[in-house]
Amino acid sequence: MPRPHRGAKSKAGCGIRAILSGGCLLFILAAAKAQDGPVRLTAAISLAKKVVTLHEPAILDIAFENPSQRGVVVNLGYDDEKLGVVVTDPGGKVVKKPRRVKSGWATPDIFNVSRGESSVGLVALNTWFSFDKTGVYRIDVTLPPDSSPKEPFSYSIANNSATLDLTVLPRDGRSLESACADLVKMIEGSRSASESTAAAEALSSVDDPAVVPFLAQAMKRRGFTGMMIEALSRLKTDDAVKALILASRSGDQETRALAHSALVGLGKEPPQ
């Protein structure tokens, strides 16, 4: 029987190697695809304080746990547009979170969730809801179950909804001032831009004359000057106007200009 041609043996060997190589390539691609699948996050949604006094900010606490070996960034969008919130007040009136027009200082609410770790962020509910009655409020919160196609990171979120109860007690000046002071500390001392922004939004949403000195203090933090001046102009109290007059004499040009504009809007004559 004639021996097989050496070249035929080589071609056969090449064919086997090609099949094996192809199989390995398919295995690698399948493994890579599995690796590129969405990161599975688990959310924990709660209230920073379940009981507050009238005019005290209500703050939502959101934590994401990432047990995987890949870090992701969860983006809730400008004004937390991907966050659904429905509030039922003590009288049974239902109010949904409105969608605001993006302001000049608005930034997306971003959670950087490192691999094997958790990330906690705050959301100021008073940005959208007044909580101006005493009693118990029911708050239904919903996060998107999956990342959007436009996001650079792919993830899914388990436990993405919660029903919470918030009790609002009658106004207590000391409690309100203590809450405002804590927010100023957070604005000044937080290393997280998202957390300091949430604290600034919570402080600026307080509709009570007691907040004036705290707004004036937070106004000095660059990046939140406009937000605090706008909050002072909304209050329209004598102390708020005095704070704006002082701000219009500031050594900072931006602060002077914004305070001057706010005073004009209130029909007050800015100092020369």
Side-chain angles (χ1 to χ4, degrees), residues 61-79:
D61 193 322
I62 302 177
F64 292 104
E65 183 180 355
N66 179 9
S68 79
Q69 293 303 304
R70 287 183 290 153
V72 296
V73 173
V74 178
N75 187 345
L76 295 183
Y78 290 95
D79 193 37

Side-chain angles (χ1 to χ4, degrees), residues 134-193:
T134 58
V136 179
Y137 292 77
R138 191 185 74 187
I139 305 173
D140 294 299
V141 184
T142 306
L143 292 165
D146 302 289
S147 56
S148 69
K150 294 182 179 180
E151 291 186 66
F153 294 89
S154 177
Y155 56 84
S156 62
I157 303 175
N159 298 339
N160 65 313
S161 64
T163 297
L164 312 169
D165 286 336
L166 173 70
T167 300
V168 178
L169 301 178
R171 185 184 184 279
D172 183 305
R174 288 187 178 181
S175 180
L176 176 58
E177 290 177 3
S178 176
C180 291
D182 288 343
L183 289 172
V184 171
K185 289 179 183 178
M186 197 178 299
I187 293 169
E188 296 176 340
S190 177
R191 296 181 180 180
S192 166

Side-chain angles (χ1 to χ4, degrees), residues 100-243:
R100 297 186 306 176
V101 177
K102 185 172 68 174
S103 59
W105 53 77
T107 56
D109 196 358
I110 292 175
F111 293 75
N112 186 8
V113 194
S114 301
R115 60 181 185 176
E117 295 184 7
S118 298
S119 177
V120 181
L122 306 176
V123 177
L125 292 175
N126 291 71
T127 304
W128 309 291
F129 307 99
S130 60
F131 301 107
D132 55 359
K133 300 176 183 177
T134 58
V136 179
Y137 292 77
R138 191 185 74 187
I139 305 173
D140 294 299
V141 184
T142 306
L143 292 165
D146 302 289
S147 56
S148 69
K150 294 182 179 180
E151 291 186 66
F153 294 89
S154 177
Y155 56 84
S156 62
I157 303 175
N159 298 339
N160 65 313
S161 64
T163 297
L164 312 169
D165 286 336
L166 173 70
T167 300
V168 178
L169 301 178
R171 185 184 184 279
D172 183 305
R174 288 187 178 181
S175 180
L176 176 58
E177 290 177 3
S178 176
C180 291
D182 288 343
L183 289 172
V184 171
K185 289 179 183 178
M186 197 178 299
I187 293 169
E188 296 176 340
S190 177
R191 296 181 180 180
S192 166
S194 177
E195 188 175 83
S196 58
T197 298
E201 289 178 342
L203 184 67
S204 66
S205 68
V206 174
D207 187 15
D208 191 287
V211 76
V212 169
F214 302 100
L215 293 174
Q217 185 175 346
M219 187 196 308
K220 300 173 185 177
R221 177 67 185 266
R222 184 165 293 277
F224 300 125
T225 303
M227 189 186 296
M228 301 306 152
I229 286 178
E230 184 177 314
L232 286 168
S233 65
R234 284 198 306 268
L235 287 172
K236 300 178 183 179
T237 64
D238 290 342
D239 287 341
V241 172
K242 289 177 183 178

